[in-house]
Amino acid sequence: MQADLGNAISRLEQVTERLLRLEATLGQQGVQPAANSLAASNTGLAATQNGPVMAAAAGGSVADYDRLLAGKLQLFMAHAAALGGEVLTASKLVEQAFQEQRAVLLVASKAKEPNTPQLQSVLQPVAAHMMSAAGLADNRRSAAFQQLKVLAEGLQALSWLAYTGPSCGMALPAQHIAESWNAAEFFANKILKESRGVNETQVDWVKAVKDLFTGLQDFVRSSYPTGLKWNPSGCNIAEAQAAAKAGGPAAAQAAVAAPVPAPAKAPVAAARGPPVPPPPPPP
């Protein structure tokens, strides 16, 4: 299993040190590339179709995460749409990965701590989008190479989901996210240097990317400082995955699509009629 993961990531990420760190982290958790583990994931979800379906109501941490999706992720995607092309294509992978991350948080809030194969099926969709972004960033001939590298390196932050304790070989989740952004910022600074005063659309996009991952770091530091929190009295993984599949993606899309309130307008003064005539002089 770990050998398969190593081969897949080696093809997609080549010699990038940050992406090889992801290989080691996910390998310890038993996460396989999408081609090898998709069947296992689908099997786990299909097994719940005739079983009890639980309510997919979001807990407090998931509700906080929805605010991140509706705010910073939505703004990031708006700036990506302004650039279009390969940047928008890769940005959609980031959006999808963040939505799949929501499903992981929802499952963790409802389920007992899983074993390694179960954890594999929970994390696989996030890992698949991370590796897809890494594959796009391998194209050094792309005119958007720097932007693709920003996203590929930044998405390594989502491997905080694989943190299981001090012995897992990773930094604490918030620190891991910070380290991932530091790698991405190397390429982000190149874009800023080339674009300031020339292409402010690129500058705004870089700022939105940084704001998104900074927001993720703040959220994880507050809600998951030592990793995912499973529910000791919760349901089994299959039930939680079924609930996340039924309600999670739709809720995440709704959060992202939530309209941004328009700035309040100053009240318009009521129209005035003709001036009131002065009172008549006393007799």
Side-chain angles (χ1 to χ4, degrees):
M1 181 182 301
Q2 293 186 8
D4 291 340
L5 177 62
N7 291 335
I9 296 180
S10 294
R11 290 193 301 270
L12 290 172
E13 305 169 15
Q14 297 181 0
V15 297
T16 308
E17 180 180 356
R18 291 291 304 174
L19 301 184
L20 290 178
R21 181 177 300 180
L22 171 66
E23 174 192 353
T25 299
L26 296 183
Q28 291 173 356
Q29 300 302 324
V31 179
Q32 295 175 314
N36 293 336
S37 60
L38 184 59
S41 177
N42 290 342
T43 299
L45 293 174
T48 69
Q49 290 178 352
N50 297 322
V53 178
M54 58 179 292
S61 294
V62 180
D64 291 340
Y65 185 73
D66 282 344
R67 284 188 279 274
L68 177 67
L69 296 183
K72 297 181 186 298
L73 180 62
Q74 184 181 17
L75 182 62
F76 159 70
M77 288 305 299
H79 287 295
L83 292 176
E86 289 182 284
V87 175
L88 179 58
T89 298
S91 296
K92 287 180 178 179
L93 290 175
V94 173
E95 180 183 35
Q96 292 162 1
F98 269 72
Q99 291 171 351
E100 293 292 355
Q101 182 173 229
R102 182 190 189 274
V104 174
L105 301 181
L106 185 59
V107 168
S109 73
K110 302 299 182 184
K112 297 177 182 178
E113 186 169 359
N115 58 34
T116 298
Q118 291 169 338
L119 183 61
Q120 167 194 329
S121 70
V122 173
L123 297 184
Q124 183 273 328
V126 178
H129 292 306
M130 292 166 68
M131 289 189 286
S132 294
L136 292 179
D138 280 343
N139 182 13
R140 292 182 172 273
R141 296 182 179 181
S142 170
F145 174 72
Q146 304 288 356
Q147 291 85 349
L148 298 180
K149 289 295 290 183
V150 169
L151 298 181
E153 295 285 356
L155 266 184
Q156 302 314 302
L158 272 61
S159 61
W160 76 267
L161 295 166
Y163 182 87
T164 56
S167 63
C168 74
M170 292 177 60
L172 284 166
Q175 182 183 345
H176 173 77
I177 295 171
E179 292 173 355
S180 298
W181 175 250
N182 286 342
E185 196 165 32
F186 172 81
F187 300 97
N189 287 338
K190 289 185 176 182
I191 299 172
L192 292 176
K193 183 178 180 180
E194 297 171 358
S195 301
R196 280 199 176 105
V198 178
N199 188 340
E200 291 303 314
T201 303
Q202 293 278 3
V203 173
D204 291 341
W205 177 81
V206 169
K207 291 179 179 178
V209 179
K210 182 174 184 178
D211 195 38
L212 174 62
F213 285 103
T214 301
L216 176 63
Q217 182 185 9
D218 292 341
F219 165 75
V220 170
R221 181 188 291 114
S222 174
S223 299
Y224 301 94
T226 57
L228 288 173
K229 295 180 290 188
W230 302 92
N231 189 338
S233 58
C235 64
N236 61 49
I237 284 291
E239 289 177 312
Q241 283 184 302
K245 183 180 180 182
Q253 288 284 3
V256 173
V260 177
K265 295 182 179 180
V268 179
R272 296 183 179 180
V276 179

